[in-house]
């Protein structure tokens, strides 16, 4: 491995700091070592405060990236120099790399309402025809999930993007990752919706000013209760230490 991640605590959870996350993961993928990538933000950190099993999965992940502004600002406040690494952008870098390998690096999109993963895959394949993407929506009955797990095992994708939302996707990956031990598994939240054109990302100027949460609240006001985690995170991380 070219670079060893520095590991820094945020509310007792590890965050890995690297210059080049995609490069690091790409090396792992080529060496067939496999990894679970967690994209940590303030909401997830607060959920892990209440749920020790989620915290334990985050501790076991090979890579925990600073996905959310709250996490980044806290680490900067602690004197660390770092750039935010949004999970969607890391997943996009990995997809571009996988496209160069074509069929020798099959990709899987799992999650979203019926039709979303297929539309997201079609959008990617239009941009990168060499990408080999298989898909499955994220609302399976227990019986169809068993069939799906069997097909995942047979396919052995190199890159598996799981968009079931937090923390469902983290639990799901931790439970099933042994099926494809050499794969890079990333919990991508609503990224499949964004690639499918069902949802949009905040404009760059909001993202660059740490205001992505405001856009989310405007687009999805019903998330307000869940988003109370943000001030709670700020209070706990910055004031209570
Ligand atoms: N989802 C799913 N199966 C479920 C519940 C949710 O596939 O049982 C999908 C949902 O359709 C959406 C994604 O999970 O595409 C959650 O997106 P969100 O933006 O809420 O992710 P988060 O903010 O939790 O990262």
């Amino acid at each position: 491995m070219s670079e060893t991640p520095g590991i820094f605590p945020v509310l007792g959870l590890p965050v890995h700091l690297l210059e080049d996350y995609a490069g690091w993961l790409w090396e792992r993928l080529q060496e067939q070592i496999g990894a679970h990538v967690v994209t940590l933000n303030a909401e997830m950190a607060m959920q892990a405060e209440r749920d020790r099993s989620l915290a334990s999965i985050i501790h076991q992940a090979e890579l925990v990236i600073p996905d959310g502004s709250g996490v980044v600002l806290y680490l900067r406040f602690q004197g660390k120099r770092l750039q935010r690494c949004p999970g969607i952008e890391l997943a996009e870098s990995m997809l571009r790399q996988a496209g160069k390998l074509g069929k020798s690096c099959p990709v899987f999109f799992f999650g979203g309402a019926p039709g979303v993963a297929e539309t997201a895959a079609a959008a990617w394949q239009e941009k990168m025809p060499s990408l080999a993407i298989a898909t499955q929506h994220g609302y399976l009955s227990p019986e169809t999930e068993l069939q799906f797990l069997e097909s995942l095992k047979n396919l052995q994708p190199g890159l598996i993007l799981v968009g079931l939302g937090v923390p469902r996707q983290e639990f799901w990956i931790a439970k099933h990752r042994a099926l494809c031990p050499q794969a890079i598994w990333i919990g991508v939240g609503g990224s499949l919706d964004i690639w499918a054109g069902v949802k949009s990302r905040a404009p760059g100027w909001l993202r660059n000013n740490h205001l992505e949460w405001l856009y989310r609240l405007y687009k999805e006001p019903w998330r307000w209760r869940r988003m109370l985690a943000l001030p709670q995170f700020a209070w706990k991380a910055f004031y209570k230490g």
Side-chain angles (χ1 to χ4, degrees):
M1 288 281 131
S2 49
E3 203 188 347
T4 308
I7 304 179
F8 298 97
V10 174
L11 293 186
L13 301 169
V15 175
H16 299 156
L17 296 193
L18 280 171
E19 288 292 321
D20 178 10
Y21 291 101
W24 188 86
L25 275 182
W26 191 245
E27 272 187 35
R28 272 187 97 95
L29 194 147
Q30 285 175 317
E31 289 169 24
Q32 302 189 323
I33 305 176
H36 176 190
V37 182
V38 169
T39 65
L40 190 71
N41 61 21
E43 262 182 58
M44 197 196 289
M46 292 312 296
Q47 289 186 38
E49 283 261 307
R50 294 187 298 270
D51 184 342
R52 298 322 292 165
S53 48
L54 176 60
S56 140
I57 288 171
I58 298 171
H59 276 279
Q60 283 162 36
E62 284 77 12
L63 190 65
V64 183
I65 64 169
D67 167 89
S69 286
V71 169
V72 170
L73 292 174
Y74 173 74
L75 286 169
R76 287 195 186 146
F77 179 71
Q78 296 293 318
K80 309 289 175 258
R81 287 182 50 219
L82 74 151
Q83 286 304 316
R84 185 174 165 229
C85 177
I88 187 168
E89 291 174 19
L90 181 60
E92 287 168 353
S93 303
M94 295 302 289
L95 284 167
R96 283 191 289 271
Q97 297 276 17
K100 291 182 195 151
L101 294 186
K103 287 201 169 56
S104 61
C105 182
V107 172
F108 211 102
F109 286 179
F110 172 46
V116 164
E118 286 94 325
T119 310
W124 269 99
Q125 275 159 340
E126 203 177 308
K127 276 190 281 191
M128 297 204 81
S130 54
L131 261 177
I133 311 178
T135 64
Q136 174 60 62
H137 72 72
Y139 294 86
L140 297 172
S141 66
E143 301 79 53
T144 43
E145 182 169 359
L146 281 180
Q147 288 167 14
F148 161 56
L149 291 171
E150 197 55 37
S151 61
L152 197 62
K153 191 174 166 194
N154 292 335
L155 184 64
Q156 289 295 316
L159 178 63
I160 305 175
L161 304 185
V162 181
L164 299 177
V166 176
R168 187 180 273 113
Q169 63 199 18
E170 283 68 34
F171 287 119
W172 195 88
I173 293 174
K175 187 169 173 196
H176 297 296
R177 59 177 291 194
L179 284 176
C180 305
Q182 297 167 349
I184 304 294
W185 301 70
I186 312 181
V188 293
S191 300
L192 299 176
D193 293 299
I194 291 172
W195 296 329
V198 175
K199 286 187 190 168
S200 52
R201 274 192 92 188
W205 65 273
L206 282 178
R207 297 204 302 263
N208 297 338
N209 288 292
H210 304 290
L211 291 172
E212 198 156 10
W213 60 273
L214 198 61
Y215 184 78
R216 204 109 209 235
L217 193 59
Y218 161 67
K219 285 283 190 181
E220 300 169 67
W222 57 89
R223 292 174 81 100
W224 70 270
R225 193 184 292 278
R226 201 177 139 175
M227 288 176 73
L228 289 178
L230 305 183
Q232 287 165 0
F233 172 85
W235 171 253
K236 279 210 96 142
F238 290 92
Y239 295 106
K240 292 177 86 187

